[in-house]
Amino acid sequence: MRPSTRSGQGPLQLLGCCRSLLCPARITPRILVIYCCFFLLVTILLGVRMHVRSYLSAVLYGLPALTQVAAAKSTGDPFQLYTISAENITAKLIPYGARLTSLLVPDRDGNFQDVVVGYDDPKQYLKDSETNHTFFGAVVGRYANRIKKGTFSIGSDVYHIPENENDGEDTLHGGTVGYDQRNWTVTAYSNSSITFTLVDRAFEDFPGDVITHATFSVQTKVTPENPQGLPQLTTKLVSLALTETTPIMLANHIYWNLNAFKDETVLEDTWLQLPLSKRLIGTDGILIPNGTILDVDVYDSAPDFVSGKLVGQDIAKADGLCGDDCTGYDNCFIVDRPPQYAARNSIVPIVHMNSSTTGISLDVATNQQALQIYSCNGQNGTIPVKQSQVQRNKAEGVDGAEYVNQHGCIVIETEGWIDGINNPQWGQLSDQIYSPETGPAVNWATYQFGTV
């Protein structure tokens, strides 16, 4: 091919092409597509330093839920009840605190029992937050349990968040207004599953923004993890740090009563086993970790549930174990994984519990490194049992409890080592500190119900 003799034509054609793109006589679909691609490229390049990448990853991570948002039918009412169900299991939840308010499963006689403590009227949870502040059934965060002095460090930076307990000695469950008092958004809803989403824009002076998807689902499918197809509740709390490095440690704060308040307490009918917990975190008199790790043979083996025993069997020996002037359990038990569960974040069975009164059993498995067991030491018989539970008992001819008494329930919080951010010697920071460059914080737990 002969070279062109019009040597200036190439640059002139290029200039003309650019001019036609930048100042077109009319906008064609082709030009519109080119504009969109150009500005998207510029936005991405400029947005890296502004953490746009993090926000995009958060949006993409949530797309499976957001694609169903049209079906969610969310009214924006934080106290609207949402029901999810499968064969032999029905759960009710509300957006206020992404909270589980009721869970019905069958007892040994086939009668359905509500095994969750709470209120029938969803608006009572707001009143509870303003008075007793029990955290009934809520997701707690951004950081569950206690942070000493409301202070922590990340690198050379020191952060201080509001103290809300013990006259300023610590921060409990995320601060003055934690996730339990936030109005979450329903972003997905089906017959058997619901997802709540919360965008935390540096709430309570925690560094940076965090987005969390809390998904609750129920099923009775036969799976390798559930070979009998037992009724199962699954909870997944997935949090992404969007803009800054920050602590993240969420937990479900569900109060359980497997005897469905047919007895006054859980002490003499509820059997508890923590098969992988031979150690617990030592605390001071107000339950703030003091840096020590204890074996479960302390307090004359009161906290030793490795082989299982009735909750009340050794509770008298636990005087002071749950803090000053307290008898009972409110302790963080460490999960020591056996070789078959060597992967650090694998799902592992950590709790077996059953009631001799109803025959209902509960098996909990999680990917977390610890769990808090609270034997409802602070309940004092002033909060009424749900009328639906009282009426169900009366219909069965049972004169059960009408108030939530001391030791009338058990809280199981799957979580990390409490205040691990202030005890780096424990080696837990990789499970509690997240940034836009890391993966999400994931708290995954399953609750399987059967009968004995």
Side-chain angles (χ1 to χ4, degrees), residues 324-341:
D324 294 338
D325 301 319
C326 177
T327 299
Y329 304 101
D330 193 359
N331 305 97
C332 183
F333 290 82
I334 294 169
V335 175
D336 289 314
R337 282 171 161 71
Q340 63 267 37
Y341 298 102

Side-chain angles (χ1 to χ4, degrees), residues 95-98 139 179 182-186 196-198 212-214 250:
Y96 180 65
V139 172
Y179 284 11
R182 302 290 176 175
N183 298 331
W184 295 57
T185 300
V186 177
F196 300 100
T197 298
L198 180 69
T212 296
H213 303 292
L250 275 61

Side-chain angles (χ1 to χ4, degrees), residues 130-143:
E130 297 169 345
T131 53
N132 300 292
H133 208 171
T134 60
F135 304 93
F136 280 161
V139 172
V140 294
R142 174 184 306 191
Y143 193 91

